[in-house]
Amino acid sequence: MTQLPTRTQFAEISDGFHENASKSLSLRAPAYTDPAWLAVDLREIIAKTWQWVCHVEKLSEPGSYVTIEIAGQPIAIVRDLTGTLRAFYNVCKHRAHVLLSGEGNTTRIMCPYHAWVYKLDGQLVRAPHSEHLEGFDPGEICLDEVQVEEFCGFVYVNLDRDAPSLASQTGDLETEIRHWAPDIEDLTFAHRLTYDIRSNWKNVVDNFLECYHCPTAHKDFCTLIEMDTYKVTTHGIYSSHMADAGNAANSAYDVSNATVKTHAVWWLWPTTCLMRYPGRSSMIVLNIIPAGPDRTFETYDFFLETKEPNEAERESIRYLNDVLQVEDINIVESVQRGMSTPAFDAGRIVNDPSGSGLSEHAVHHFHGLVLDAYARAAP
């Protein structure tokens, strides 16, 4: 079992961070390299924040379910027969066997170990051969629930029973998303890309939150949008990243017939990124999943107007997979290697008070939220 950071380490981890981004250093390297800090990340951040699950279409029908893992915990999300969305620890109350696997539709939850049967509201209704047990009442046994919420066309869960609702924490985020993507609930799943990255999850988030590196590392992307219009705004537990699509031909993918001409991106603390690229109406969801001190899983889910991408969308998916992601993965893996050397402890945040995309103020915002979580966890 990984030992948690000491009191001294908790005190030192924020050294150099300043509330003013123009005076601040970044998070210190141990937060990205020491397994002790990953343990804090999982327990105090991932297990206590709203985590993305899927588009509402996947859980639209009574009996539909999906299963996921959050901070190492197996979770099942179901739409019960009354239409209520529910989420449970995906663990039988008899001998702790996993109950559901994958996704699908069912009228009941039956444990594959000893056939204990639960209703879709989590209530135990049948325990075979238990009639001779003393003091045993199936009506007193129910699966342990976790919070679940529908927000802007997507489903999120939170393992923290005391956490405020996602809607109450996000201010104007829903208004923003629905302004730029009014048809978000009508979109349908079309494609998924998956990645296994040799870097800490926070490096992946850092890289996503700034375009300071774009002119150097993403030359094709810089022809897709008008970099002079790129603005990044931070709010509470999210940040907005907006730019106009370029008017001239670009070297990324064809947008000559685009109906969406704005690059609109939102990062939601801590690991969800919602992206609406120029083209047809769409929403791309990047889900960042911590898998180790130096390992991160990523999924990119494309929600489009149709289940099959059109030619321009196939080209945009190819660009993202073969070019943009290759560039970014090389970056964050190089950064992870550098942070693991004695040559690096923390670096200056490059800040533009005007909110330019060529600024790291959204990275600074993210680091502040991480350090707030660390402070709450400090012994």
Side-chain angles (χ1 to χ4, degrees):
M1 182 176 180
T2 301
Q3 186 174 354
L4 292 177
T6 65
R7 183 178 301 180
T8 299
Q9 288 173 308
F10 270 105
E12 292 176 345
I13 197 64
S14 60
D15 284 355
F17 182 84
H18 195 283
E19 289 187 0
N20 181 347
S22 293
K23 297 180 178 181
S24 186
L25 293 177
S26 65
L27 270 178
R28 295 183 59 234
Y32 299 85
T33 60
D34 189 337
W37 288 110
L38 177 68
V40 179
D41 290 347
L42 294 176
R43 188 186 71 181
E44 300 296 331
I45 297 178
I46 305 303
K48 293 185 177 180
T49 53
W50 288 95
Q51 298 291 309
W52 182 84
V53 177
C54 63
H55 191 278
V56 291
E57 70 170 355
K58 190 172 283 189
L59 289 164
S60 61
E61 298 297 323
S64 55
Y65 70 87
V66 299
T67 60
I68 58 171
E69 187 175 286
I70 295 173
Q73 306 299 307
I75 305 298
I77 304 94
V78 302
R79 181 79 67 180
D80 73 17
L81 298 181
T82 70
T84 302
L85 194 61
R86 300 181 182 274
F88 310 96
Y89 282 93
N90 191 18
V91 175
C92 184
K93 303 297 286 185
H94 174 222
R95 295 288 298 281
H97 197 284
V98 168
L99 293 165
L100 296 170
S101 60
E103 57 189 61
N105 193 286
T106 186
T107 58
R108 61 180 183 171
I109 301 171
M110 186 174 77
C111 181
Y113 192 8
H114 297 102
W116 281 34
V117 177
Y118 303 83
K119 293 193 295 184
L120 297 186
D121 64 3
Q123 178 64 54
L124 179 66
V125 292
R126 181 174 178 267
H129 309 296
S130 62
E131 59 272 14
H132 300 299
L133 299 183
E134 297 180 11
F136 177 77
D137 180 1
E140 295 178 351
I141 297 176
C142 191
L143 299 178
D144 288 10
E145 289 199 62
V146 299
Q147 290 203 72
V148 61
E149 187 171 340
E150 296 180 45
F151 181 78
C152 289
F154 295 104
V155 176
Y156 296 80
V157 296
N158 194 323
L159 305 190
D160 182 0
R161 292 183 177 183
D162 298 322
S165 70
L166 181 57
S168 71
Q169 294 185 62
T170 48
D172 294 330
L173 177 58
E174 181 169 9
T175 300
E176 278 192 45
I177 291 175
R178 292 191 183 280
H179 171 76
W180 294 106
D183 58 348
I184 190 168
E185 288 171 328
D186 299 325
L187 300 175
T188 187
F189 175 77
H191 194 74
R192 167 171 279 196
L193 299 173
T194 60
Y195 305 94
D196 186 344
I197 302 171
R198 295 185 299 276
S199 184
N200 185 271
W201 72 277
K202 295 187 293 297
N203 265 329
V204 176
V205 174
D206 286 350
N207 184 66
F208 181 88
L209 289 177
E210 52 92 352
C211 217
Y212 180 42
H213 70 284
C214 291
T216 306
H218 300 315
K219 296 186 184 300
D220 296 309
F221 177 79
C222 290
T223 69
L224 177 65
I225 64 172
E226 294 290 344
M227 284 298 299
D228 290 345
T229 68
Y230 203 125
K231 294 292 182 182
V232 179
T233 311
T234 62
H235 321 257
I237 64 166
Y238 76 97
S239 55
S240 305
H241 307 245
M242 302 289 177
D244 294 337
N247 293 316
N250 70 79
S251 56
Y253 62 90
D254 181 21
V255 293
S256 57
N257 294 317
T259 54
V260 172
K261 299 182 181 297
T262 301
H263 173 76
V265 173
W266 299 271
W267 168 77
L268 175 60
W269 161 258
T271 54
T272 305
C273 309
L274 306 173
M275 300 174 279
R276 191 167 169 91
Y277 276 22
R280 258 201 322 177
S281 182
S282 67
M283 187 64 74
I284 308 168
V285 181
L286 164 58
N287 193 29
I288 298 167
I289 306 165
D294 56 357
R295 191 178 188 192
T296 300
F297 297 145
E298 276 187 348
T299 59
Y300 273 81
D301 284 354
F302 293 77
F303 299 93
L304 308 175
E305 293 180 15
T306 56
K307 289 188 178 296
E308 289 295 326
N310 64 21
E311 180 58 35
E313 288 162 343
R314 285 193 292 272
E315 184 63 15
S316 70
I317 292 170
R318 182 210 59 78
Y319 162 70
L320 197 153
N321 185 54
D322 296 351
V323 179
L324 191 60
Q325 273 296 93
V326 172
E327 293 167 344
D328 276 331
I329 290 171
N330 286 338
I331 287 169
V332 297
E333 291 186 342
S334 176
V335 168
Q336 187 69 30
R337 291 191 295 270
M339 285 185 169
S340 301
T341 71
F344 183 84
D345 183 61
R348 281 300 293 261
I349 293 292
V350 174
N351 181 50
D352 177 359
S354 73
S356 160
L358 303 177
S359 172
E360 296 176 317
H361 58 285
V363 178
H364 176 263
H365 172 241
F366 168 53
H367 291 180
L369 291 171
V370 170
L371 290 173
D372 285 348
Y374 287 175
R376 289 191 295 269

